[in-house]
Amino acid sequence: MFKFLKEVVAGSGSGLKDFPYTIGEPYASAWGSWTHHRGTSKDDGSPVSIFSLSGSNPQDRHLVAGRNGVKRLRTVRHPNILSFLHSTEAEVPDGPAMKHTIYIVTEPVTPLSEKLKELNLGGTQRDEYFAWGLHQISKAVSFLNNDCKLVHGNVCVTSVVVTQTLDWKLHAFDVLSEFDANNEASNSPMLQFEWLVGTQYKPMELTKSDWVSIRKSPPWAIDSWGLGCLIYELFSGAKLTRTEDLRNTASIPKSLLPDYQRLLSSAPSRRMNPSKLIDNSEFFQNKLVETIQFMEVLNLKDSVEKDSFFRKLPNIAEQLPREIVLKKLLPVLASALEFGSAAAPALVVLLKMGSWLPADQFSAKVLPTIVKLFASNDRAIRVSLLQHIDQFGESLTAQTVDEQVFPHVATGFSDTSAFLRELTLKSMLVLAPKLSQRTISGSLLKYLSKLQVDEEPAIRTNTTILLGNIANYMNDGTRKRVLINAFTVRALRDTFPPARAAGIMALSVTSSYYEMTEIATRILPNVVVLTFDPDSDVRTKAFQATDQFLQIAKQHHEKLTMGDNSAAEATGIQLKPGNAGLLGWAMSSLTQKGKGSDHGPVSSANASNSQISATSSVTSDNRSSTVAYAPSTSSSLDQTAPASARSSVDGWGEIENDNTQEENGSDNEGWDDVDPYDEKPPPSLLSNIQAAQKRPVAQPKQPVSNSSRLNQPKVPKPEEDPLWGSIAAPAPKNASKSSDIKPSTSHNDDDDLWGSIAAPPPKSAGKPLKPPPAANSDDLWGAIAAPPPSTKARPLASSGRGRGTKPAQPKLGAQRIGRTSSTGM
């Protein structure tokens, strides 16, 4: 028998050299002769508890009882019984002599008496926590007595320990024995190690060693008495020293007093079954017990019960002991959310409880669950995460955001729900500072480029605001490629007035990132136009931005005058109070959808009243086509254009200043650098002139072949400022009278900026005109002659070839003559 017990505890003489745990400092109290140590695992450093029991020789009766406790603890498993991990027995030197010691390793626990001192609870909170602890110990005792037919024999304060989650667990199984009810007449001891139990904890029949009476009693008789002793020690706050002290019921709660008296009945057969104590006692019906019990069976509840429970839980948590909420409820709630048994409202409760934790504990206990929830397909969970991201976003590390959080959040940019798209957009204000440059330029800006043409006006507005707020997290090349294009091309042309106002404010906030050339040629021309916008707020912000950028231009001029060219390149100005700091979000897309306050931006030349649609991809393509025919920019602009713009993939690529842009195509998703008003159709009179100038000048004296005609160069366009050409004043209505003006010597002036808005030919120009005389080959007005009538009839063959050859007689007339001659015959 002794050899068997030694094998159970991993054998004797193995020593501590292979013991995989480190023994730490002991606690002040423990059950019986055991010593309770703190400990850690050598493998992963996780905390454990180590119980040790020493004896002078292997046959020491304390060691024999200890081996019984090891065997019982190893084989009995229950949620409310201490969890066994490892055990061993070794010879440990104690001075000149050697001691035999048994070691038991369990989950990390604390003696109940020390934990109660640490919590220092009082009043209702103390009673609620005691109710929860007694509920757990009663379940453990009921399991031993009713299910396993075992008798613990010494239930008291020292036989109870508390886990890290403040759960109570029963241990000290040295006295544990089977209940022998088959041999009622036997007078042999049923509890082999009953001598370990203190006299004050023994019921009368056990004190008298009346084993016949004990065997005739219910299996729970001895342990019910022990539960009564535990209740007395809990509420009196003192260790039981005499059995007579149990009659002092002044400290026992009135709701528990009847059950307390039944547990300590002098007749063993009349003592209350521990299972009935849990079910019948009014004392156990409180908020803490009900809350924990509901969460333990959360999987069995329907969605209605879950929603109702989690909506009430924040108020309940405020009334419960803070330590219990953080160490017991919070882990249970986090586990329920992680495995999908909790509803979305539970996330609000989790974050509220987490806010009571220190920063390091919040990162260890709450953040791992939140990061896993970002991968959830439950839209309600995703919405709740985005709505409260400001409560935990700062605690997320940059690596976690870039690798685990953003890939899941980014799916909301293309979600069918406008509300979720808007929440995803706003969450970037918290997440963008933690994203890498690769993620910002490779992923985030692509999503934002699509949101700037979203069907919801508030989403378009907030996208512009977000770009202004995260501009400082972009590198210089990305800022040059994105900001001006996003603010002027899209935002300032938006049909929604707040979107235009947001574009102006974003330009003002990011003014320090623009060079003087960009301010003068690309920003000011677009902002000034909005000074007569239909919306008063847009006009006000346009005037403020104009003043700000003009002040920057003045400072640049002054520094150039003083010869400080290097400083002039980085000229900046302090923002006005109204534009300083982060831009505020626009109104919700759901509340502003379909409002009648959408006004289109004012056309620079009043040439067209049609508004620009920001949501049509066709419109974006048309913008690119329009720019392909725009006049070339000056050489100074070519020098300032960033090289990275030509390979942009984020949707905000710069337009090149030659005609190769259209030939090479673009993968920029419609985010080309379009001048603010180039997409506006030119005035009808001016368009006729420009169309005529694109046709080659007829030269009748020099016939050319078809192949050489394709290579004939076009008449060079007048050099003009491309930024202002699109908003030049339209031709006057009486321009048709100017057709009588004869060409002068200025025809040979290739720099005539007014040639593009010269008067068109009279209305009769729609009819075919005779070929111009060949003598005047330098007549520039011939370039704007009306085109020949459109016809699919092919001309008759003639002796001459080339464009200058006079067309032959139409074939139709010849057929008519032939028909007449045949009739006369």
Side-chain angles (χ1 to χ4, degrees), residues 78 139-150 219:
H78 188 268
K139 288 174 65 176
V141 173
S142 176
F143 170 74
L144 293 175
N145 299 155
N146 298 311
D147 299 334
C148 302
K149 302 302 179 183
L150 297 172

Side-chain angles (χ1 to χ4, degrees), residues 106 109 141 243 405 430 536 547 722:
T106 67
V109 290
V141 173
T243 305
V405 175
V430 178
S536 60
D547 294 340

Side-chain angles (χ1 to χ4, degrees), residues 437-438 440-443 445-446 467 474-489 513-514 518 522 640-655 668 671-674:
Q437 288 297 323
R438 180 177 182 180
I440 291 177
S441 58
S443 298
L445 292 181
K446 287 184 177 181
L467 284 169
M474 305 178 190
N475 56 40
D476 293 338
T478 304
R479 282 195 292 261
K480 287 181 178 294
R481 186 175 69 247
V482 171
L483 294 185
I484 295 182
N485 298 325
F487 298 152
T488 61
V489 175
Y513 300 127
Y514 308 129
E518 295 173 324
R522 303 182 64 189
T640 60
S644 60
R646 292 175 172 83
S647 60
S648 167
V649 294
D650 57 16
W652 281 293
E654 297 263 343
I655 282 296
N668 294 334
W671 283 86
D672 296 328
D673 180 15
V674 184

Side-chain angles (χ1 to χ4, degrees), residues 86-106:
H86 182 77
S87 67
T88 188
E89 184 174 347
E91 291 185 0
V92 180
D94 184 18
M98 298 293 291
K99 282 190 175 182
H100 293 267
T101 306
I102 297 175
Y103 294 97
I104 304 176
V105 183
T106 67

